[in-house]
Amino acid sequence: MTTFETFLDAQTDALGGDLVAVLRAVAEATRKISDTLKTSSLDGLTGATEITNVQGEAQKPLDILSNDILLDACRAVPSVAFAVSEELDAEVAIHVDGRYAVIFDPLDGSSNLDVNVTVGTIFSVIEAKSADEILKSGRHQLIAGYAAYGPQTTLVLTTGRGVQIFTLDAAGTYVMTTADAKITPEAKEFAINAARRASWDDVVSAYIEDAIDSGHNMRWVGSMVADTHRIFNRGGVFLYPADRNKPGAGGRLRLLYEANPIGLLVEAAGGEAIIGNEKILDIAPTSLHQRVPVIFGSKAEVDKLATAYRARVLEAAAE
Ligand code: AHG
Ligand code: MN
Ligand code: MN
């Protein structure tokens, strides 16, 4: 049996003690969030608050609590210089002598909280000694991961050497359940919010039409973490495209703490993650809460979409 601690010990030479301490603290925070979620209705942690975050979304009590748990985790590690969160307007300076920024979506899929459906925490660690080093492409991520809080609590992470999956046992210890997770290159299943089809571009519309015609199945949990976890287990493709009626608005999901960490995990597991004609991990961010279109999953499926986007760019250039 490989526990998370044993795994961390084995990573110390490659990552260095400071980065391992950051990862240990973030994992411990996800364990606390998992505990808090289990009895949240009994503790009155339901519904929404009157507070809206910088993106105009009503915060749930558990969004705020999870954010606080992660902030406390950052404060406890001297090498953390900054925290960036969906629930915070701007980056928060943590330790002046720190070296890393921890970037997180404290609770992903929080609209699913009150219906007892899987939610998650998404996180990423980059080197950033000053605030102006935070906006860099996803290729610079040192660690990325998510915790999925479902029937089981599962921690999925990459430190640059494949993807490892841990499951929380009854005693609160993360135990490795997959040493080298891979996303199957082909799978006939897609995840998209079909209610928004009037806003899809022609590439996405054609892909989905073709997928339905060729017998693909559809799933949409409404928590990207849960949809991602399914793709890790049986493949498929996830799409949250830009709204073609709102040019320049990006998409729904945020680059720094949703698209980038999931993009790194997906690529590390042999999948692909794109925004259209570009890979998610190659985008140079312009702001902390920037939204981007997101397409990721099984390589063969994502390649079909990437090829169609490339053809569109070539057609436009030829006109
Ligand atoms: P968050 O709860 O962190 O704001 O993120 C929710 C995201 C993502 O988890 C999910 O895939 C998507 O929003 C769902 O969007 P729709 O409500 O448009 O289906
Ligand atoms: Mn989210
Ligand atoms: Mn969230």
Side-chain angles (χ1 to χ4, degrees):
M1 177 174 101
T2 304
T3 65
F4 185 62
E5 261 318 305
T6 325
F7 167 79
L8 286 182
D9 286 346
Q11 298 284 306
T12 309
D13 283 350
L15 300 182
D18 286 351
L19 200 50
V20 164
V22 176
L23 182 51
R24 180 182 288 115
V26 170
E28 174 57 14
T30 64
R31 192 196 59 73
K32 286 187 184 157
I33 294 169
S34 173
D35 263 8
T36 307
L37 289 170
K38 278 181 196 151
T39 54
S40 50
S41 326
L42 299 171
D43 301 327
L45 297 168
T46 53
T49 67
E50 309 262 287
I51 311 164
T52 50
N53 66 15
V54 66
Q55 303 165 70
E57 296 165 342
Q59 289 176 320
K60 306 255 168 119
L62 285 162
D63 284 322
I64 298 172
L65 208 55
S66 306
N67 187 59
D68 290 346
I69 290 171
L70 281 155
L71 271 181
D72 283 348
C74 291
R75 291 193 186 103
V77 185
S79 60
V80 176
F82 295 97
V84 172
S85 164
E86 176 186 351
E87 309 302 343
L88 299 165
D89 298 5
E91 73 276 0
V92 172
I94 305 285
H95 295 289
V96 274
D97 297 328
R99 183 172 163 197
Y100 301 110
V102 184
I103 304 175
F104 46 88
D105 176 352
L107 261 195
D108 174 64
S110 51
S111 66
N112 274 327
L113 278 169
D114 291 348
V115 290
N116 197 17
V117 167
T118 298
V119 292
T121 295
I122 312 174
F123 59 89
S124 161
V125 184
I126 58 168
E127 188 160 322
K129 291 183 182 156
S130 62
D132 56 15
E133 289 175 77
I134 295 172
L135 292 180
K136 47 189 170 193
S137 80
R139 296 260 171 237
H140 292 91
Q141 294 171 102
L142 303 171
I143 293 173
Y146 67 79
Y149 311 113
Q152 304 172 55
T153 291
T154 317
L155 180 67
V156 179
L157 63 93
T158 181
T159 60
R161 278 158 288 272
V163 174
Q164 288 76 40
I165 305 184
F166 299 84
T167 303
L168 199 62
D169 73 8
T173 301
Y174 276 119
V175 177
M176 189 184 278
T177 38
T178 308
D180 186 19
K182 294 284 177 216
I183 296 176
T184 183
E186 285 176 51
K188 294 173 84 169
E189 192 162 72
F190 63 84
I192 194 166
N193 184 342
R196 300 190 195 286
R197 69 176 182 181
S199 72
W200 298 344
D201 64 33
D202 47 347
V203 170
V204 170
S205 298
Y207 173 80
I208 297 295
E209 203 180 309
D210 189 56
I212 293 171
D213 287 349
S214 39
H216 288 217
N217 190 32
M218 192 214 80
R219 285 288 181 272
W220 183 252
V221 180
S223 294
M224 185 174 57
V225 160
D227 282 309
T228 304
H229 204 57
R230 185 188 58 257
I231 288 171
F232 263 94
N233 281 283
R234 64 180 197 217
V237 60
F238 175 99
L239 307 95
Y240 212 118
D243 186 335
R244 69 169 183 185
N245 304 312
K246 294 182 192 157
R252 165 137 173 47
L253 299 170
R254 280 62 51 107
L255 176 60
L256 259 61
Y257 41 82
E258 291 177 319
N260 269 345
I262 299 296
L264 195 74
L265 286 166
V266 167
E267 283 202 7
E272 294 267 5
I274 60 170
I275 68 158
N277 202 30
E278 254 183 295
K279 295 197 177 201
I280 287 173
L281 297 182
D282 292 330
I283 301 166
T286 52
S287 64
L288 294 180
H289 299 288
Q290 178 179 355
R291 294 175 192 265
V292 288
V294 166
I295 297 174
F296 65 82
S298 290
K299 192 173 180 338
E301 294 304 315
V302 179
D303 275 350
K304 286 184 203 165
L305 287 141
T307 305
Y309 277 113
R310 238 183 337 268
R312 204 166 72 156
V313 170
L314 293 175
E315 270 165 34
E319 272 166 20

